[in-house]
Amino acid sequence: MKYYDVIVIGAGVMGAATADALAARGASTLLLERFGLGHSRGSSHGDSRIYRFAYEEDIYVAMMHRALAGWRDLERHPAAAA
């Protein structure tokens, strides 16, 4: 029987990002998805996204800039093409 440090349920954008971050930190990680990759049943499917920086609170604008840098890193990650 194989054991993992962490098992992430759901390979959508949040689950995949979580599993990737855990694995990058050295955790033995298993990512499970009920449906096939790229399915249309999740909350983050479709052909386009909108990314906003228009928030009244500066903290949210700062978080969006940090998150965008993370998205750019993910685009360059070899697993992103899978």
Side-chain angles (χ1 to χ4, degrees):
M1 178 177 287
K2 184 152 182 162
Y3 293 90
Y4 297 92
D5 296 322
V6 180
I7 298 174
V8 179
I9 310 292
V13 67
M14 297 304 289
T18 300
D20 183 65
L22 289 165
R25 288 168 175 76
S28 170
T29 307
L30 176 64
L31 177 60
L32 300 174
E33 173 57 54
R34 178 180 178 186
F35 305 107
L37 295 179
H39 66 81
S40 63
R41 295 176 183 97
S43 62
S44 57
H45 71 279
D47 295 334
S48 63
R49 299 288 172 270
I50 189 165
Y51 203 89
R52 293 189 174 110
F53 289 98
Y55 292 96
E56 287 186 36
E57 296 85 4
D58 291 338
I59 186 84
Y60 293 118
V61 175
M63 283 192 297
M64 294 303 287
H65 282 284
R66 278 189 67 201
L68 183 58
W71 280 111
R72 296 297 184 231
D73 287 343
L74 185 60
E75 289 173 339
R76 290 186 294 274
H77 192 284

